[in-house]
Amino acid sequence: MSARIDRSRDGRWHPFVPADYGTVLRALLSIRHRGGRFLELGSAIGVITIMADLLGFEACGIEIFPELVSEARSLAKRYGSDARFATGSFLPEGYRWVSETGDTRLGTVGVGDPAYSELGYELADFEWVYAYPWPGEAEVLRDAVRRFGAPDAKLLLHGYT
């Protein structure tokens, strides 16, 4: 599968590092009794979104690369998952990042048309929001969820407290 993804990027480097799926599974198992709507930001090939769906969450993933969304949909179908995936940016319409120092760089966060309309939801419609940020991106994600997410939404960041 990774060879197909690499070819789809025309030889360009692809910023993908898989999460520790066992750690994420344990976290999802600890909250599954609460249920709700789950959103993975930057869902790549969809493994975590599919896990969330199979554990009983209404799970959606947003990914900016169409090739990865296609892979995620195929994987979901293969495993009988109802997880839904949308192509586009997970940054909500109108979101602008400015750090405390005035920095507006987003790191590897892809910029494009927001994918929420494809899902039929807004960021504020999700109780659980998961992401595996690259260094320096956690604050962008915290800010976006604080400003556009539900007041009681829980942001789960892989590798962060």
Short mmCIF file of all heavy atoms in Angstrom, two decimals, residues 10-41:
data_model
loop_
_atom_site.label_atom_id
_atom_site.label_comp_id
_atom_site.label_asym_id
_atom_site.label_seq_id
_atom_site.Cartn_x
_atom_site.Cartn_y
_atom_site.Cartn_z
N ASP A 10 3.90 11.34 -6.94
CA ASP A 10 4.87 11.66 -7.98
C ASP A 10 6.30 11.77 -7.46
O ASP A 10 7.05 12.67 -7.84
CB ASP A 10 4.49 12.96 -8.70
CG ASP A 10 3.17 12.83 -9.43
OD1 ASP A 10 2.88 11.74 -9.95
OD2 ASP A 10 2.40 13.82 -9.46
N GLY A 11 6.66 10.86 -6.56
CA GLY A 11 8.02 10.85 -6.05
C GLY A 11 8.31 11.87 -4.97
O GLY A 11 9.41 11.91 -4.44
N ARG A 12 7.36 12.74 -4.65
CA ARG A 12 7.57 13.72 -3.59
C ARG A 12 7.45 13.04 -2.23
O ARG A 12 6.72 12.08 -2.07
CB ARG A 12 6.55 14.86 -3.69
CG ARG A 12 6.74 15.71 -4.96
CD ARG A 12 5.66 16.75 -5.09
NE ARG A 12 4.45 16.06 -5.55
CZ ARG A 12 3.21 16.46 -5.30
NH1 ARG A 12 2.99 17.51 -4.58
NH2 ARG A 12 2.19 15.79 -5.77
N TRP A 13 8.15 13.57 -1.24
CA TRP A 13 8.11 13.04 0.11
C TRP A 13 6.69 13.14 0.66
O TRP A 13 6.01 14.15 0.47
CB TRP A 13 9.08 13.82 0.99
CG TRP A 13 9.02 13.43 2.43
CD1 TRP A 13 9.55 12.31 2.98
CD2 TRP A 13 8.42 14.15 3.49
NE1 TRP A 13 9.31 12.29 4.34
CE2 TRP A 13 8.61 13.42 4.67
CE3 TRP A 13 7.72 15.36 3.56
CZ2 TRP A 13 8.14 13.84 5.90
CZ3 TRP A 13 7.26 15.78 4.78
CH2 TRP A 13 7.47 15.01 5.93
N HIS A 14 6.25 12.09 1.31
CA HIS A 14 4.90 12.10 1.88
C HIS A 14 5.00 12.15 3.40
O HIS A 14 5.62 11.29 4.01
CB HIS A 14 4.12 10.85 1.46
CG HIS A 14 2.68 10.99 1.77
ND1 HIS A 14 2.17 10.80 3.03
CD2 HIS A 14 1.65 11.37 1.00
CE1 HIS A 14 0.88 11.03 3.01
NE2 HIS A 14 0.55 11.38 1.80
N PRO A 15 4.40 13.16 4.02
CA PRO A 15 4.51 13.32 5.47
C PRO A 15 3.57 12.38 6.23
O PRO A 15 2.54 12.79 6.76
CB PRO A 15 4.12 14.79 5.68
CG PRO A 15 3.16 15.06 4.58
CD PRO A 15 3.66 14.24 3.40
N PHE A 16 3.92 11.11 6.31
CA PHE A 16 3.07 10.13 6.98
C PHE A 16 3.91 9.30 7.94
O PHE A 16 4.91 8.71 7.56
CB PHE A 16 2.41 9.21 5.95
CG PHE A 16 1.64 8.07 6.58
CD1 PHE A 16 0.41 8.29 7.17
CD2 PHE A 16 2.17 6.80 6.62
CE1 PHE A 16 -0.29 7.25 7.76
CE2 PHE A 16 1.48 5.75 7.20
CZ PHE A 16 0.23 5.99 7.77
N VAL A 17 3.49 9.32 9.19
CA VAL A 17 4.09 8.46 10.20
C VAL A 17 2.92 7.81 10.93
O VAL A 17 2.07 8.50 11.48
CB VAL A 17 4.96 9.25 11.20
CG1 VAL A 17 5.49 8.35 12.30
CG2 VAL A 17 6.09 9.96 10.48
N PRO A 18 2.83 6.47 10.91
CA PRO A 18 1.69 5.83 11.57
C PRO A 18 1.74 6.00 13.08
O PRO A 18 2.81 5.99 13.69
CB PRO A 18 1.83 4.36 11.18
CG PRO A 18 3.26 4.18 10.86
CD PRO A 18 3.76 5.51 10.34
N ALA A 19 0.57 6.17 13.66
CA ALA A 19 0.46 6.26 15.11
C ALA A 19 0.73 4.90 15.74
O ALA A 19 0.76 3.88 15.06
CB ALA A 19 -0.94 6.74 15.48
N ASP A 20 0.89 4.89 17.04
CA ASP A 20 0.99 3.64 17.79
C ASP A 20 -0.45 3.16 17.97
O ASP A 20 -1.16 3.61 18.88
CB ASP A 20 1.68 3.91 19.12
CG ASP A 20 1.80 2.67 19.98
OD1 ASP A 20 1.04 1.70 19.77
OD2 ASP A 20 2.63 2.69 20.91
N TYR A 21 -0.88 2.27 17.11
CA TYR A 21 -2.29 1.86 17.09
C TYR A 21 -2.73 1.20 18.39
O TYR A 21 -3.88 1.36 18.81
CB TYR A 21 -2.57 0.94 15.90
CG TYR A 21 -2.34 1.62 14.56
CD1 TYR A 21 -1.61 0.98 13.57
CD2 TYR A 21 -2.83 2.89 14.30
CE1 TYR A 21 -1.38 1.60 12.34
CE2 TYR A 21 -2.61 3.51 13.08
CZ TYR A 21 -1.89 2.86 12.10
OH TYR A 21 -1.67 3.48 10.90
N GLY A 22 -1.86 0.48 19.06
CA GLY A 22 -2.20 -0.12 20.35
C GLY A 22 -2.52 0.93 21.40
O GLY A 22 -3.48 0.80 22.16
N THR A 23 -1.73 1.99 21.44
CA THR A 23 -1.97 3.08 22.38
C THR A 23 -3.30 3.77 22.08
O THR A 23 -4.08 4.05 22.99
CB THR A 23 -0.81 4.11 22.31
OG1 THR A 23 0.38 3.46 22.71
CG2 THR A 23 -1.07 5.31 23.19
N VAL A 24 -3.56 4.02 20.80
CA VAL A 24 -4.82 4.67 20.42
C VAL A 24 -5.99 3.76 20.74
O VAL A 24 -7.01 4.22 21.27
CB VAL A 24 -4.80 5.07 18.93
CG1 VAL A 24 -6.14 5.65 18.52
CG2 VAL A 24 -3.68 6.05 18.65
N LEU A 25 -5.86 2.47 20.47
CA LEU A 25 -6.94 1.53 20.79
C LEU A 25 -7.26 1.56 22.28
O LEU A 25 -8.43 1.61 22.68
CB LEU A 25 -6.57 0.12 20.34
CG LEU A 25 -7.58 -0.98 20.69
CD1 LEU A 25 -8.94 -0.71 20.07
CD2 LEU A 25 -7.04 -2.35 20.26
N ARG A 26 -6.23 1.53 23.12
CA ARG A 26 -6.47 1.58 24.57
C ARG A 26 -7.20 2.86 24.96
O ARG A 26 -8.10 2.84 25.80
CB ARG A 26 -5.16 1.42 25.34
CG ARG A 26 -4.64 -0.02 25.33
CD ARG A 26 -3.44 -0.21 26.24
NE ARG A 26 -2.25 0.50 25.80
CZ ARG A 26 -1.43 0.09 24.83
NH1 ARG A 26 -1.67 -1.04 24.20
NH2 ARG A 26 -0.37 0.79 24.51
N ALA A 27 -6.83 3.98 24.37
CA ALA A 27 -7.50 5.25 24.67
C ALA A 27 -8.96 5.20 24.23
O ALA A 27 -9.86 5.62 24.96
CB ALA A 27 -6.77 6.40 23.98
N LEU A 28 -9.21 4.66 23.03
CA LEU A 28 -10.59 4.56 22.54
C LEU A 28 -11.41 3.61 23.40
O LEU A 28 -12.59 3.89 23.69
CB LEU A 28 -10.61 4.11 21.08
CG LEU A 28 -10.08 5.12 20.06
CD1 LEU A 28 -10.03 4.49 18.68
CD2 LEU A 28 -10.93 6.38 20.05
N LEU A 29 -10.82 2.51 23.83
CA LEU A 29 -11.54 1.57 24.69
C LEU A 29 -11.93 2.23 26.02
O LEU A 29 -12.99 1.96 26.57
CB LEU A 29 -10.69 0.33 24.95
CG LEU A 29 -10.60 -0.65 23.78
CD1 LEU A 29 -9.52 -1.71 24.05
CD2 LEU A 29 -11.95 -1.30 23.50
N SER A 30 -11.10 3.13 26.51
CA SER A 30 -11.38 3.78 27.80
C SER A 30 -12.52 4.79 27.72
O SER A 30 -13.08 5.16 28.75
CB SER A 30 -10.11 4.46 28.34
OG SER A 30 -9.83 5.66 27.65
N ILE A 31 -12.87 5.23 26.52
CA ILE A 31 -13.94 6.22 26.37
C ILE A 31 -15.15 5.70 25.59
O ILE A 31 -16.15 6.40 25.46
CB ILE A 31 -13.43 7.52 25.71
CG1 ILE A 31 -12.89 7.25 24.29
CG2 ILE A 31 -12.40 8.19 26.59
CD1 ILE A 31 -12.53 8.49 23.49
N ARG A 32 -15.07 4.49 25.09
CA ARG A 32 -16.14 3.99 24.21
C ARG A 32 -17.50 3.96 24.89
O ARG A 32 -18.52 4.12 24.24
CB ARG A 32 -15.78 2.63 23.62
CG ARG A 32 -16.03 1.45 24.56
CD ARG A 32 -15.53 0.16 24.05
NE ARG A 32 -16.41 -0.43 23.07
CZ ARG A 32 -16.30 -1.66 22.65
NH1 ARG A 32 -15.37 -2.45 23.13
NH2 ARG A 32 -17.13 -2.13 21.76
N HIS A 33 -17.54 3.76 26.21
CA HIS A 33 -18.81 3.73 26.93
C HIS A 33 -19.54 5.08 26.84
O HIS A 33 -20.74 5.14 27.00
CB HIS A 33 -18.59 3.34 28.40
CG HIS A 33 -17.84 4.37 29.18
ND1 HIS A 33 -16.47 4.51 29.09
CD2 HIS A 33 -18.27 5.31 30.04
CE1 HIS A 33 -16.09 5.51 29.88
NE2 HIS A 33 -17.16 6.02 30.47
N ARG A 34 -18.81 6.14 26.54
CA ARG A 34 -19.41 7.47 26.41
C ARG A 34 -19.96 7.71 25.01
O ARG A 34 -20.78 8.59 24.80
CB ARG A 34 -18.39 8.53 26.79
CG ARG A 34 -18.01 8.39 28.28
CD ARG A 34 -16.77 9.11 28.65
NE ARG A 34 -16.94 10.55 28.65
CZ ARG A 34 -15.96 11.39 28.94
NH1 ARG A 34 -14.76 10.93 29.25
NH2 ARG A 34 -16.15 12.68 28.92
N GLY A 35 -19.48 6.92 24.04
CA GLY A 35 -19.97 7.01 22.67
C GLY A 35 -19.83 8.40 22.09
O GLY A 35 -19.03 9.20 22.53
N GLY A 36 -20.62 8.65 21.05
CA GLY A 36 -20.62 9.96 20.42
C GLY A 36 -19.99 9.97 19.06
O GLY A 36 -19.61 8.94 18.50
N ARG A 37 -19.89 11.16 18.54
CA ARG A 37 -19.33 11.38 17.21
C ARG A 37 -17.83 11.63 17.33
O ARG A 37 -17.40 12.46 18.13
CB ARG A 37 -20.03 12.58 16.58
CG ARG A 37 -20.14 12.48 15.10
CD ARG A 37 -21.04 13.56 14.52
NE ARG A 37 -22.43 13.15 14.57
CZ ARG A 37 -23.43 13.94 14.91
NH1 ARG A 37 -23.22 15.20 15.24
NH2 ARG A 37 -24.66 13.49 14.91
N PHE A 38 -17.05 10.93 16.51
CA PHE A 38 -15.58 10.96 16.54
C PHE A 38 -15.06 11.48 15.21
O PHE A 38 -15.52 11.05 14.15
CB PHE A 38 -15.08 9.53 16.79
CG PHE A 38 -13.59 9.36 16.73
CD1 PHE A 38 -12.83 9.43 17.88
CD2 PHE A 38 -12.95 9.11 15.52
CE1 PHE A 38 -11.45 9.25 17.83
CE2 PHE A 38 -11.58 8.92 15.46
CZ PHE A 38 -10.82 9.00 16.62
N LEU A 39 -14.10 12.38 15.27
CA LEU A 39 -13.49 12.93 14.05
C LEU A 39 -11.97 12.80 14.15
O LEU A 39 -11.38 13.23 15.14
CB LEU A 39 -13.85 14.40 13.88
CG LEU A 39 -13.18 15.12 12.71
CD1 LEU A 39 -13.61 14.53 11.37
CD2 LEU A 39 -13.47 16.61 12.76
N GLU A 40 -11.38 12.23 13.11
CA GLU A 40 -9.92 12.19 13.02
C GLU A 40 -9.47 13.25 12.03
O GLU A 40 -9.88 13.26 10.87
CB GLU A 40 -9.43 10.81 12.57
CG GLU A 40 -7.92 10.75 12.54
CD GLU A 40 -7.36 9.40 12.14
OE1 GLU A 40 -8.12 8.52 11.70
OE2 GLU A 40 -6.13 9.24 12.26
N LEU A 41 -8.61 14.14 12.50
CA LEU A 41 -8.05 15.20 11.66
C LEU A 41 -6.77 14.67 11.02
O LEU A 41 -5.85 14.27 11.72
CB LEU A 41 -7.73 16.43 12.51
CG LEU A 41 -8.88 16.98 13.35
CD1 LEU A 41 -8.40 18.16 14.18
CD2 LEU A 41 -10.06 17.37 12.47
#
